[in-house]
Amino acid sequence: MSMPRLLAEGILKSALTEPAPDLAELGVAFEAAARRRLGRSLSIRQVDAGSCNGCELEIHALSNAYYDLERFGLRFVASPRHADVLLVTGPVTLNMREALERTYAATPAPKWVVAAGACAIDGGLFAGSYACAGSVDKVLTVDIRIPGCPPTPTALLKGLLALMEGAKR
Amino acid sequence: MRWDQVTVDVRGWRQATESLIAGRRTLLGLWGEPNRVHMASRGEDEIAVVSLACPKGSFPSVGARHSPAIRLERAIADLYGLKAEGTLDGRLWLDHGRWTVRHPLGAAARSKGPAPYAFLAAEGESLHQIPVGPVHAGIIEPGHFRFTASGETVVRLEERLGYVHRGLEGLIAGAPLDRAARLAGRASGDSTVAYAVAFARAAEAALGVEAPSRAHWLRGLMAELERLANHLGDIGAICNDAAFALMHAHCAVLREQVLRAADVAFGHRLMMDCVTPGGVAVDLTPAGAEAVRDLVRTVRERFPLLIDLYDDTASLQDRTVGTGIVKAELAAWFGASGYVGRASSGGFDARKAFPYPPYDALEFEVPTRDEGDVNARVWIRIEETRQSLSLIDQILDGLPKGPPTAPLASGAGEGLALVEGFRGDVFIWLRLEPGKVTSAYLRDPSWFQWPLLEAAIEGNIVADFPLCNKSFNCSYAGVDL
């Protein structure tokens, strides 16, 4: 009988989602900017271009009950054709370069590119490898960079807000 | 851990291959250096490395008669240009023709550029192919899956990986020890602790240094927190791929709590760069220990309810029971470790088979099951989660006092280590010169699990692939490097 209990707890207990002050501020600011530009929501397509998977783990965490990404109107989509933003991780391995370019080409304009994590920004520890382009901006025009190895979920949220602030202009 | 390294001639190499075929020994790794190849294998209680010089740029194929070695040989050919004589599969693996050079770690030559990849054939009436990837629909790593299906039923799956090859071993070669350790910690981000511990132990073995006992115990604590976080994440994600989001939501909350406790205790949510050669970079404070104890209490309280939820939900069981079966003989042939091996009757666990501190002083069980299906792989994770909670308790209770690091002597030598990560045994071999690493080999457990996924999905429906795949949760980055 664990399902009824869990569901009842969900109704009776307060939500785990954190009304952290900075997140709440981000939410309000984000909403205003996002609506102006794109209506009610922003769709993100994540592309792993050679990450160690550390960044993906933290991007996943954005969807858990503590961060609850979707309350900000942000959501992950399965196809670049549905996306406004490409969230790219990794030092762009040469083996992934064409796939990244084709994903970008498949994304309808207006579109933005976020480089998330140390590798995506400047190659990180993988800079100079025979197998890597070295950073996302060697391949695509990058609108915003989110540092960290990997960036924390909070850093990722802040970065997406900064993108929206930039997109207004 | 007892290990021997011997240089052999071609006859000795063939004898070593025979011992794998006969099942007397299990393959642990196969790797190259510019002019030689090495094969590591394990017996009952020892590890042996045999090395063969390759003056003519080739060596007798192991994979021709022992299939688990096939992809390892393809990687050696791509990176070092050393050919496996008599191989059944001479196709490129890591080299997609996108680099400027071929054989980047051996005698480098100009790349010929990309060429079409010949997938293995499947013949029959009304078969169709489904290409998937490298960019997948979810937030996961890139790789290509080529399905051949008859209606809904998968006739053949072939994996093509290498998309996230970053040249990690090439970057480690020549790097100072601290930089090399940071690189090793990024082989596969979800196993950063396991890789960092394996790297540190291999380096310490090469230099003849022993880390202080407090460092060993703190490494154990981090390793168990990593196992806990990954197993909780996986259990939820597997259920999510069977469209049961409730379990996913609750497991994701517990996983987040593990990462937050790790952050308080060691200053990084995934504990990257917290283990270093010679010891650990961060000592545990009383506040950190308290955060971990709180975490254990919470998981102990919440987890049983989730296990009941998993066990009581018939629609979920309908998806996981009997799906994606790996036969015990096949798992043993590949020497598959971790939950993939243990769900198919394999009892190997590096923490037990080659005990390293702190595990030689701790009590825990290695759960096994015989069904080999998705459900069994979930249950192994459930049991291991319980074991990890108990191990964390024991570590916090018995944590020795003392310094968290030992000074490292500068020196030369070879060292290896076998460490149990959440997905199985991570093998690292290093050759050191004073002040730097000259060559390195990192073998992820997924090398011996990816091929089993191809076997597990055969005869299942295409729609069950995400479920099977998640129940394996193989590493792409750890294999591509």
Side-chain angles (χ1 to χ4, degrees), chain B residues 199-474:
Chain B
F199 183 90
R201 292 189 60 80
E204 288 156 12
L207 297 173
V209 176
E210 182 69 33
S213 65
R214 186 173 177 85
H216 285 310
W217 283 62
L218 290 176
R219 287 173 180 179
L221 178 58
M222 292 185 219
E224 295 313 313
L225 285 171
E226 180 172 89
R227 197 181 322 278
L228 201 57
N230 283 306
H231 280 353
L232 287 167
D234 277 1
I235 293 166
I238 293 166
C239 295
N240 198 45
D241 277 341
F244 194 64
L246 181 64
M247 188 80 176
H248 182 49
H250 282 278
C251 286
V253 166
L254 291 182
R255 177 184 156 85
E256 176 69 19
Q257 290 178 342
V258 179
L259 300 189
R260 288 179 175 204
D263 194 23
V264 173
F266 298 106
H268 191 285
R269 286 162 55 90
L270 303 178
M271 298 167 284
M272 269 178 177
D273 307 324
C274 292
V275 174
T276 52
V280 292
V282 196
D283 203 351
L284 186 71
T285 61
E290 200 42 52
V292 177
R293 286 208 190 269
D294 278 347
L295 168 77
V296 171
R297 261 193 297 276
T298 309
V299 178
R300 278 232 170 83
E301 185 192 314
R302 300 296 298 173
F303 195 52
L305 198 62
L306 300 182
I307 301 169
D308 286 349
L309 179 64
Y310 177 76
D311 216 21
D312 289 349
T313 307
S315 62
L316 188 53
Q317 298 280 312
D318 183 50
R319 295 291 304 279
T320 59
V321 175
T323 305
I325 294 172
V326 178
K327 290 197 181 86
E329 311 83 74
L330 201 58
W333 173 253
F334 274 78
S337 58
Y339 40 76
V340 172
R342 295 199 267 275
S344 296
S345 310
F348 180 78
D349 185 316
R351 295 171 297 175
K352 283 274 191 217
F354 302 102
Y356 51 97
Y359 298 103
D360 50 355
L362 302 175
E363 280 182 30
F364 65 104
E365 282 163 24
V366 178
T368 60
R369 290 178 77 100
D370 300 323
E371 305 91 322
D373 57 359
V374 173
N375 181 55
R377 289 187 285 275
V378 171
W379 270 105
I380 295 292
R381 286 173 168 99
I382 290 174
E383 298 292 350
E384 289 188 3
T385 299
R386 291 172 172 153
Q387 295 296 323
S388 287
L389 291 173
S390 154
L391 283 166
I392 291 171
D393 276 344
Q394 294 177 53
I395 291 170
L396 289 176
D397 289 345
L399 186 63
K401 291 198 173 14
T405 50
L408 278 183
S410 178
E414 289 171 43
L416 61 79
L418 191 68
V419 164
E420 192 71 18
F422 87 97
R423 42 165 91 75
D425 58 322
V426 171
F427 176 84
I428 292 186
W429 173 91
L430 297 176
R431 187 192 297 283
L432 303 184
E433 269 178 19
K436 65 175 184 181
V437 180
T438 52
S439 46
Y441 173 63
L442 294 78
R443 197 270 299 138
D444 195 89
S446 300
W447 278 101
F448 303 126
Q449 297 169 344
W450 274 119
L452 298 178
L453 177 61
E454 294 183 347
I457 193 63
E458 194 183 316
N460 286 251
I461 59 173
V462 176
D464 273 343
F465 177 71
L467 185 62
C468 290
N469 190 25
K470 197 73 220 175
S471 77
F472 274 67
N473 190 19
C474 293

Side-chain angles (χ1 to χ4, degrees), chain A residues 18 45 52 58 93 98 129, chain B residues 98 163 166 189 260 269:
Chain A
E18 292 176 329
R45 168 69 247 200
C52 72
E58 293 298 55
T93 59
E98 185 188 347
S129 168
Chain B
R98 306 280 178 168
Y163 290 93
R166 297 153 289 167
R260 288 179 175 204
R269 286 162 55 90

Side-chain angles (χ1 to χ4, degrees), chain A residues 23-160:
Chain A
L23 278 187
E25 281 167 31
L26 286 173
V28 174
F30 189 90
E31 205 172 328
R35 281 202 185 152
R36 203 169 308 131
R37 186 77 191 187
L38 291 157
R40 290 177 181 280
S41 69
L42 188 63
S43 297
I44 305 166
R45 168 69 247 200
Q46 197 269 339
V47 183
D48 174 342
S51 149
C52 72
N53 197 32
C55 290
E56 282 63 38
L57 295 174
E58 293 298 55
I59 292 169
H60 262 295
L62 286 172
S63 299
N64 74 33
Y66 290 93
Y67 304 102
D68 190 18
L69 183 78
E70 295 210 2
R71 72 185 143 145
F72 301 106
L74 292 163
R75 66 191 189 105
F76 290 108
V77 292
S79 167
R81 301 212 185 272
H82 304 156
D84 308 304
V85 174
L86 292 187
L87 178 58
V88 188
T89 62
V92 190
T93 59
L94 297 178
N95 287 352
M96 269 306 285
R97 182 182 182 137
E98 185 188 347
L100 176 61
E101 288 168 342
R102 286 168 70 164
T103 305
Y104 183 77
T107 309
K111 54 188 167 183
W112 291 271
V113 175
V114 179
C119 295
I121 291 172
D122 62 6
L125 285 167
F126 300 97
S129 168
Y130 64 85
C132 300
S135 62
V136 178
D137 66 11
K138 295 255 171 69
V139 182
L140 303 175
T141 303
V142 172
D143 294 286
I144 197 148
R145 294 163 177 83
I146 305 177
C149 184
T152 61
T154 311
L156 288 162
L157 268 179
K158 283 185 178 165
L160 292 168

